[in-house]
Amino acid sequence: MGIESFLPCKLVAVTDLKKAVAADKQFDTICVVDGDQVPSLLSSAFKTTKAFDEAFESEVSCFKCTDLNCRVIYSPIGQLSDFDDVRRYNQAAAKLICRTIKAGAKSPILVLPSNDKFENADLVTLLGVCENLYVPIQLREDVPTKKQRFSMLGVYSENEKHLTGLLELVKKLEAGRFISRDIGGGDPEYMAPPKVADYIQLVFGKSSVIKTEIISDPVIFEKEYPLFQAVNRAAGSVKRHQGRIIFLEYKPPAPAKKTLFLVGKGVTYDTGGADIKAGGIMAGMSRDKCGAAAVAGFMKVVEENQPKDVHVVGVLCMVRNSVGEECYVSDEIITSRAGVRVRVGNTDAEGRMCMADALCKMKERVINERLPDPHLFTVATLTGHACLAVGNCSIVMDNGPARQSGHGSKLQSEGEKIGDIFEISVLKKEDFDFHSGKCYGEDVLQCNNLPSSRTPRGHQGPAAFMMLSTGLDKCGLKSPYPIKYSHLDIAGSAGEITEIPTGAPILALAKTHLL
């Protein structure tokens, strides 16, 4: 499918505002987020409106520009403090689009802002507009007349060369986030594991650069991905809920200089299993697949950019954590792909279980194939503790080799430039001690019997578990095979059920490793 299929509407470059609005009448509204950089054609209207509206620089305005005979929507950025970041432009864009839709616009023009402090203010604003124009996949298919909020979106800048490059970049990034939103935001039946596999085939099945492999056989799961199969057992008895492990691989045209492996948590619905979620907290658990959704979206960005020397593998671990007579239970001891004996402590800690064996396979590829400059990732909406610790930011936790390379700091720095914010957490010895086996005959304890939000260091521990259960703990700085590994917990940044899925951390990963 072409890239235009994964955009909220057609994006059109505009370099002559008067011609586009007044002469050609292609567009019906002009949208502005920076009152200090208003096109000269709007300056009179801005001055007049500001004179009689004291809230002009603090509230969204809708007024008429007489000179152009068209509607203007203004969403001010406001006064920026030392603690603001480029997300202020994303937030202003969200308010802008909400008001533009309410005003009845069908084909608006966005006036691109610029800011000396924030080099990507224009990019973040346009991405913010696209994000808030997203229409959920089920609505698009059920009610085709509502598949787009606008017929097209004009993007205005007098710098034609810059505008062309910006639009090309936005289309590539937004296509990835669009796919991530489709998967992450789909309901538990619409995006059950087999349906996700079908969607992936639709997106990548005819790709000339992305190789797709889908595993569905429970016999293979039992043999090669036993921790995944433990979670899949109950769901596996229902055909439409049966698990899938999906591999997406891009090999560059030139010899690779680095290799990225991204393993995503794709829990399509998390009941908690035998440790069932109670008290109304099961609502929203269809978003527990946003890690895998982000990996799929990132692979779309890879496909569109086709980096010449970066080898990328994405793994989507799609499973439903169901409760029933076949579900796995606490106290079970399951031997992982790495030969590690894991005692289950809480079936609601299923995310680390579904990713661990796929992560182990990626570790094996690194060692066996001697792949250049490898870096392993897990991406997951993993813990409520992450939300308590850092709010709506993502968290990066590096092992020794990744930390020595400065990865976390770079990811945080590049993410901040593009509005995809990270906080850094540091793994400690006590995180590994917490998950060490407590009984004779077990190597690793999967979890305690409390939720992460009531467990000290509740978001760091799962990273330690995944290292212990896969053998990555033996791939540190002093080992014969030091391998960089980073765990990304996006529980706070992926977007709550009432919000549009954000697509985090696609932008930060792309900015750090691809662009």
Side-chain angles (χ1 to χ4, degrees):
M1 298 177 67
I3 194 170
E4 299 294 337
S5 301
F6 304 107
L7 298 175
C9 66
K10 184 179 181 181
L11 301 181
V12 180
V14 176
T15 55
D16 189 328
L17 199 59
K18 186 174 183 178
K19 184 176 184 292
V21 175
D24 295 346
K25 300 187 183 299
Q26 285 181 289
F27 301 94
D28 56 20
T29 305
I30 300 176
C31 299
V32 180
V33 296
D34 192 338
D36 292 331
Q37 297 175 359
V38 178
S40 57
L41 290 168
L42 299 178
S43 59
S44 178
F46 264 71
K47 184 177 180 180
T48 301
T49 307
K50 185 175 181 178
F52 66 80
D53 184 359
E54 293 185 1
F56 187 70
E57 293 296 346
S58 59
E59 301 287 342
V60 180
S61 302
C62 177
F63 54 94
K64 183 177 181 179
C65 174
T66 306
D67 293 343
L68 294 177
N69 190 32
C70 79
R71 180 193 299 117
V72 177
I73 310 289
Y74 174 49
S75 178
I77 297 296
Q79 191 69 33
L80 296 173
S81 74
D82 293 344
F83 304 101
D84 280 310
D85 56 61
V86 75
R87 287 178 298 171
R88 284 288 293 271
Y89 284 86
N90 181 286
Q91 293 157 6
K95 294 177 182 178
L96 179 78
I97 287 306
C98 181
R99 185 66 182 89
T100 303
I101 291 169
K102 288 181 178 179
K106 299 299 179 185
S107 53
I109 293 178
L110 172 68
V111 176
L112 288 176
S114 64
N115 186 297
D116 292 339
K117 181 178 180 181
F118 303 122
E119 60 182 287
N120 293 306
D122 51 358
L123 173 60
V124 171
T125 302
L126 183 50
L127 286 170
V129 168
C130 290
E131 177 178 336
N132 287 276
L133 288 178
Y134 172 77
V135 175
I137 185 171
Q138 287 164 269
L139 181 59
R140 299 199 311 267
E141 295 193 354
D142 292 347
V143 190
T145 56
K146 294 186 177 181
K147 69 178 182 179
Q148 290 184 322
R149 310 300 292 270
F150 296 148
S151 60
M152 61 179 172
L153 175 69
V155 185
Y156 170 74
S157 172
E158 293 180 350
N159 187 335
E160 185 174 357
K161 183 178 180 181
H162 173 71
L163 180 58
T164 301
L166 181 71
L167 284 180
E168 182 180 345
L169 176 59
V170 165
K171 288 177 182 179
K172 292 175 180 179
L173 295 174
E174 188 56 28
R177 298 204 304 168
F178 191 95
I179 288 165
S180 177
R181 293 188 188 105
D182 275 357
I183 296 173
D187 81 21
E189 292 295 329
Y190 191 90
M191 282 293 176
K195 294 287 189 71
V196 173
D198 292 343
Y199 181 86
I200 290 295
Q201 288 283 35
L202 185 69
V203 174
F204 296 109
K206 295 182 179 180
S207 173
S208 61
V209 296
I210 302 291
K211 176 187 174 184
T212 304
E213 179 188 1
I214 299 172
I215 300 176
S216 59
D217 188 344
V219 175
I220 296 177
F221 291 153
E222 188 70 42
K223 182 181 179 180
E224 300 185 25
Y225 307 93
L227 299 184
F228 176 93
Q229 177 60 9
V231 182
N232 184 51
R233 255 171 25 201
S237 62
V238 180
K239 186 175 181 180
R240 69 181 191 277
H241 293 162
Q242 291 171 348
R244 300 287 189 272
I245 299 181
I246 304 168
F247 295 88
L248 301 168
E249 183 163 5
Y250 167 82
K251 291 185 177 180
K257 291 182 179 178
K258 69 177 178 179
T259 314
L260 305 177
F261 292 91
L262 300 99
V263 179
K265 174 186 175 184
V267 177
T268 60
Y269 200 74
D270 180 18
T271 67
D275 286 295
I276 196 164
K277 294 181 183 290
I281 61 172
M282 206 182 293
M285 286 298 104
S286 62
R287 293 286 179 92
D288 217 10
K289 57 188 180 305
C290 283
V295 171
F298 182 76
M299 293 306 296
K300 182 62 177 176
V301 178
V302 171
E303 180 187 41
E304 294 298 331
N305 279 277
Q306 297 187 31
K308 65 179 182 179
D309 55 7
V310 183
H311 182 181
V312 190
V313 180
V315 189
L316 284 62
C317 302
M318 308 307 305
V319 66
R320 179 179 171 117
N321 190 22
S322 294
V323 61
E325 59 189 8
E326 292 290 338
C327 66
Y328 81 123
V329 295
S330 297
D331 297 340
E332 283 191 46
I333 295 181
I334 305 167
T335 302
S336 75
R337 181 186 178 100
V340 177
R341 293 173 60 81
V342 174
R343 179 163 67 87
V344 178
N346 189 325
T347 65
D348 197 19
E350 82 298 330
R352 64 199 74 178
M353 296 280 285
C354 79
M355 291 187 292
D357 291 324
L359 179 64
C360 181
K361 180 173 181 176
M362 298 302 102
K363 179 205 76 174
E364 292 166 5
R365 284 196 61 180
V366 167
I367 294 173
N368 295 334
E369 298 177 31
R370 295 290 199 271
L371 296 169
D373 190 18
H375 196 146
L376 306 183
F377 294 85
T378 42
V379 188
T381 50
L382 210 64
T383 65
H385 191 275
C387 304
L388 291 176
V390 300
N392 63 352
C393 300
S394 300
I395 300 176
V396 55
M397 289 156 270
D398 289 337
N399 73 346
R403 189 178 178 188
Q404 187 181 63
S405 75
H407 170 261
S409 296
K410 184 177 181 183
L411 185 66
Q412 182 183 55
S413 174
E414 295 301 314
E416 187 166 348
K417 293 176 184 177
I418 204 167
D420 197 357
I421 306 300
F422 269 90
E423 296 285 5
I424 299 172
S425 281
V426 179
L427 295 176
K428 300 291 185 182
K429 181 178 181 296
E430 47 263 46
D431 300 318
F432 294 85
D433 292 341
F434 183 86
H435 286 279
S436 63
K438 305 298 185 288
C439 301
Y440 183 70
E442 68 186 47
D443 299 318
V444 175
L445 174 64
Q446 169 236 29
C447 188
N448 67 344
N449 57 10
L450 291 175
S452 68
S453 55
R454 293 174 57 197
T455 301
R457 300 185 65 80
H459 70 265
Q460 293 98 329
F465 167 83
M466 285 186 283
M467 292 174 66
L468 290 165
S469 62
T470 60
L472 271 171
D473 60 315
K474 298 177 177 62
C475 297
L477 288 167
K478 296 181 180 180
S479 76
Y481 301 106
I483 300 173
K484 289 181 285 187
Y485 165 63
S486 300
H487 172 54
L488 312 182
D489 194 329
I490 60 169
S493 59
E496 297 285 347
I497 188 68
T498 56
E499 303 167 355
I500 302 166
T502 64
I506 292 172
L507 297 181
L509 286 171
K511 188 78 166 60
T512 304
H513 295 287
L514 299 180
L515 304 181

